[in-house]
């Protein structure tokens, strides 16, 4: 059963929820993105019987914070709320995200090490430095105050994170049907970018404390965040890390040409972690004592 939460004015902005079994998956969209970026992966997990939630994060979803009032703590608070919902109905919960969403997933794994079974990091971004990002963006590192950040507005340019031209055209046409310009869809307010930078700073403080097994899927030709982002995480994370380098995708790996491959590897990863967790639970369970056999003679 699928439930969606919709806003009539911004019809493309929806939260996704799929009811399933006792294993849950929380998926977090990118900075300025929407849950639709993760719909294909979410449905793939749902078909395998997982309970899946992919919330729309107010303030982190483009068009939901026109006054730039939200902070990264607000985004994380919503992630925690949805995670708690999953924990109430599931025995085991995985958390994942696309781009900035994967950084929030790592934050959750850092704060809840006993509750997060594993992390799925799709094109994780610590800093936007892909080949489509203009070099002038580096000057934004000098901006540290929210009042100054309000003066900035960052627009993206083609290919908008998607290498497959057919999929890119479908996404662009969908937004046009919603009477939203590409500038509205793909632009990022300066305050949003500043808050993301502050979030990254918090997560980077002690990445070695993130011990949950992690799968990283990152494109070699990422137009938004280069492969160095994934390599840095692989080096600094404290748990086991599996790295998957994609050769035919751009940034939005959950929608682009290799989405099937990404989904298959993600499902394989969670399946193996579930087997490991079950083995550990059995090993830790107290063994049943058997009654001593007493021979009674007569």
């Amino acid at each position: 059963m699928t439930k969606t939460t919709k806003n009539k004015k911004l019809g493309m902005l929806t939260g996704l929820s799929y009811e399933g079994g006792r294993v849950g998956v929380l998926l977090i969209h990118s900075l300025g993105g929407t849950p639709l970026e993760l719909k294909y992966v979410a449905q793939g997990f749902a078909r395998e019987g997982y309970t899946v939630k992919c919330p729309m994060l107010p303030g982190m979803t483009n068009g939901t914070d026109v006054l730039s009032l939200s902070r990264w703590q607000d985004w994380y608070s919503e992630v925690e709320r949805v995670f708690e919902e999953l924990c109430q109905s599931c025995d085991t919960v995985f958390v994942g995200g696309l781009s900035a969403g994967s950084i929030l997933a790592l934050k959750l794994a850092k704060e809840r090490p006993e509750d997060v079974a594993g992390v799925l990091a799709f094109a994780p971004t610590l800093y936007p430095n892909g080949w489509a990002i203009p070099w002038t963006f580096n000057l934004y590192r000098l901006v540290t105050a929210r009042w100054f950040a309000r003066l900035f507005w960052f627009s993206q340019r083609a290919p908008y994170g998607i290498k497959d031209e057919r999929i890119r055209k479908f996404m662009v046409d969908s937004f046009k049907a919603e009477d939203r310009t590409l500038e509205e869809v793909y632009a990022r307010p300066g305050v949003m970018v500043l808050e993301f930078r502050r979030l990254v700073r918090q997560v980077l403080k002690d990445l070695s404390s993130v011990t949950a097994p992690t799968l990283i899927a990152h494109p070699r030709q990422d137009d938004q965040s280069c492969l160095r982002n994934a390599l840095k995480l692989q080096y600094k994370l404290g748990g086991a890390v599996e790295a998957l380098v994609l050769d035919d995708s751009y940034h939005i790996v959950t929608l682009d040409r290799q989405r099937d491959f990404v989904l298959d590897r993600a499902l394989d990863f969670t399946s193996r972690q579930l087997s490991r967790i079950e083995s550990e639970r059995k090993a830790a369970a107290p063994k049943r004592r058997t009654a001593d056999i007493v021979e009674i003679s007569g």
Side-chain angles (χ1 to χ4, degrees):
M1 179 178 174
T2 306
K3 296 185 289 184
T4 59
T5 306
K6 295 189 177 182
N7 181 309
K8 292 182 178 179
K9 186 176 180 181
L10 298 172
M12 294 297 290
L13 305 185
T14 65
L16 305 174
S17 179
Y18 300 89
E19 296 179 7
R22 300 291 297 179
V23 180
V25 179
L26 169 60
L27 297 173
I28 309 165
H29 63 75
S30 69
L31 189 73
T34 77
L36 292 181
E37 302 165 335
L38 291 154
K39 186 174 184 178
Y40 185 81
V41 172
Q43 289 180 332
F45 272 102
R47 284 194 297 271
E48 296 299 318
Y50 291 81
T51 294
V52 185
K53 288 186 180 294
C54 185
M56 180 184 73
L57 302 186
M60 187 170 158
T61 302
N62 210 355
T64 59
D65 185 18
V66 294
L67 298 179
S68 294
L69 298 177
S70 73
R71 299 176 183 270
W72 71 262
Q73 290 91 340
D74 301 319
W75 313 339
Y76 182 67
S77 232
E78 179 66 7
V79 168
E80 278 192 311
R81 186 191 68 78
V82 178
F83 182 73
E84 287 294 342
E85 286 185 357
L86 271 175
C87 287
Q88 290 174 10
S89 60
C90 297
D91 302 318
T92 306
V93 180
F94 294 89
V95 60
L98 173 66
S99 190
S102 63
I103 307 305
L104 283 168
L106 289 171
K107 169 70 173 172
L108 187 64
K110 178 181 177 181
E111 301 297 332
R112 305 284 293 270
E114 301 299 322
D115 302 321
V116 174
V119 178
L120 301 166
F122 303 119
T125 301
L126 297 170
Y127 192 79
N129 54 2
W131 56 263
I133 303 296
W135 68 268
T136 51
F137 182 75
N138 288 315
L139 299 176
Y140 194 66
R141 294 176 185 267
L142 302 176
V143 176
T144 58
R146 283 173 61 93
W147 68 266
F148 193 29
R150 290 177 185 274
L151 304 177
F152 294 84
W153 189 265
F154 300 100
S155 59
Q156 291 191 45
R157 57 187 180 185
Y160 307 117
I162 300 178
K163 188 174 185 179
D164 190 297
E165 294 181 2
R166 180 181 60 84
I167 299 175
R168 189 191 315 148
K169 183 178 184 303
F170 173 78
M171 292 297 293
V172 170
D173 290 344
S174 296
F175 287 125
K176 286 180 179 178
E178 293 288 325
D179 295 325
R180 301 173 66 201
T181 66
L182 291 181
E183 182 69 16
E184 291 177 311
V185 172
Y186 290 108
R188 305 290 180 266
V191 172
M192 179 188 287
V193 176
L194 176 62
E195 286 299 320
F196 170 63
R197 216 171 66 203
R198 290 175 174 176
L199 166 66
V200 170
R201 191 179 305 122
Q202 288 294 317
V203 175
L204 283 177
K205 280 183 177 179
D206 190 15
L207 272 178
S208 62
S209 66
V210 180
T211 57
T214 302
L215 172 68
I216 298 175
H218 204 108
R220 191 186 308 276
Q221 302 172 358
D222 196 319
D223 58 318
Q224 300 297 314
S225 59
C226 80
L227 192 57
R228 290 195 302 273
N229 288 266
L231 296 177
K232 185 170 184 176
L233 286 176
Q234 184 182 24
Y235 178 74
K236 289 183 172 292
L237 285 171
V241 179
E242 298 180 23
L244 174 63
V245 179
L246 305 172
D247 61 359
D248 196 24
S249 291
Y250 288 160
H251 189 59
I252 308 180
V253 299
T254 51
L255 282 181
D256 215 344
R257 291 177 179 173
Q258 293 177 285
R259 61 189 181 278
D260 288 326
F261 186 44
V262 170
L263 174 59
D264 288 344
R265 289 296 295 267
L267 287 169
D268 176 69
F269 173 80
T270 54
S271 177
R272 284 186 285 109
Q273 298 310 317
L274 287 172
S275 297
R276 174 187 59 79
I277 291 169
E278 183 62 24
S279 297
E280 291 176 352
R281 284 174 178 168
K282 287 181 178 179
K287 295 182 179 180
R288 296 179 60 185
R289 296 186 61 184
T290 58
D292 295 331
I293 298 176
V294 180
E295 184 177 345
I296 303 177
S297 59

